[in-house]
Amino acid sequence: MKAESNESLDLLSVLLTGIPGLEAQHGWLSILFFTMYVVAIVGNSLIMAAVQADPALHEPMYLFLSMLAGTEVGVSVSTLPTVMGILWFDARRVDFDGCLAQMFFIHTFSCMESGVLLAMSYDRFVAVYNPLRYTAILTLPRIVCIGLVVTLKSVILRAPLPVLLRSLPYCHTNILSHSYCLHPDLIQLPCADTKLNSILGLAIVLSTFGLDSLLIVVSYMLILYRVLGIASGEGRRKALNTCVSHICAVLVYYVPLIGVSVMHRTAKHASPLAHTLMSSIYLFVPPVLNPIIYSVKTKPIQQGIVTLFSCKRE
């Protein structure tokens, strides 16, 4: 079949898929997903507002936490239109350029989230290894610089992906397997060689998620080595307790990511529902759980949120 021009309106759109096998329950599922979106967006927005409003939270740990909350709001907002559009209105058709834009923002914010988690592990490393010079090392200009580097790296690495996909010919039904646009899904659609796209996508994954996770593991090995050298049991407990929330955030983010990667490569014949559930856990669970984890485990954040509401009532 001859490839048609990319200018064709039919080819410049894709069909998204809801939750396979549960189409009849979309109405009930929409309540669950909408609740998760509300918790994720409101919860992370409250953390950002509390950090911004409370001078006591203008410390490196909380500034990095605010960055993490911002990336999670970005991930949630990126997926919300198509997911809720399918669940509420069965609106499956999406403009191809809009799909590419969604793909770019989902992957960019996910990449930024990984980078911020790495920055937070460095923050914990400095706090444990050199607590007396903690604020002198992680000054506000340096924190801003780290945030800008993470953002620029994510944007620059992800920008070529939609450009390369936009230049390829498409000659068959453009149906994706999720209710949002992801690069692994989109590179299955062109009727041309996508080896460059696959190699570039793999290189980006290894240089971001792969390298970030390795450096996080190394940082915590060094932290553990330092903590074991502390003489008092109370000192060791206090040092480790400052890392608990971040460790939970890392596990909440990377465990589903590893699960999605393993399933994509070793369980290709698993049911579509299994693949959809794993991808949904990866994209939706971290933005929901992280604000809960930090609100429960971090008393200054609790106090900051309470103060925020107190100021609004006044």
Side-chain angles (χ1 to χ4, degrees), residues 6 162-170:
N6 276 0
V163 175
L164 289 173
L165 283 169
R166 190 66 181 80
S167 66
L168 294 172
Y170 296 82

Side-chain angles (χ1 to χ4, degrees), residues 181-250:
C181 302
L182 298 176
H183 185 255
D185 245 6
L186 284 167
I187 60 173
Q188 306 298 321
L189 300 182
C191 52
D193 185 13
T194 59
K195 186 178 295 184
L196 176 61
N197 301 69
S198 299
I199 293 173
L200 180 60
L202 179 60
I204 292 171
V205 168
L206 292 176
S207 64
T208 52
F209 303 115
L211 183 60
D212 291 349
S213 60
L214 176 63
L215 292 175
I216 290 172
V217 170
V218 171
S219 71
Y220 270 102
M221 289 175 64
L222 294 173
I223 288 171
L224 184 60
Y225 176 78
R226 177 69 172 182
V227 168
L228 292 176
I230 298 175
S232 69
E234 178 64 22
R236 288 195 296 269
R237 187 197 64 78
K238 187 176 179 180
L240 286 174
N241 193 51
T242 63
C243 302
V244 169
S245 296
H246 179 251
I247 292 172
C248 291
V250 169

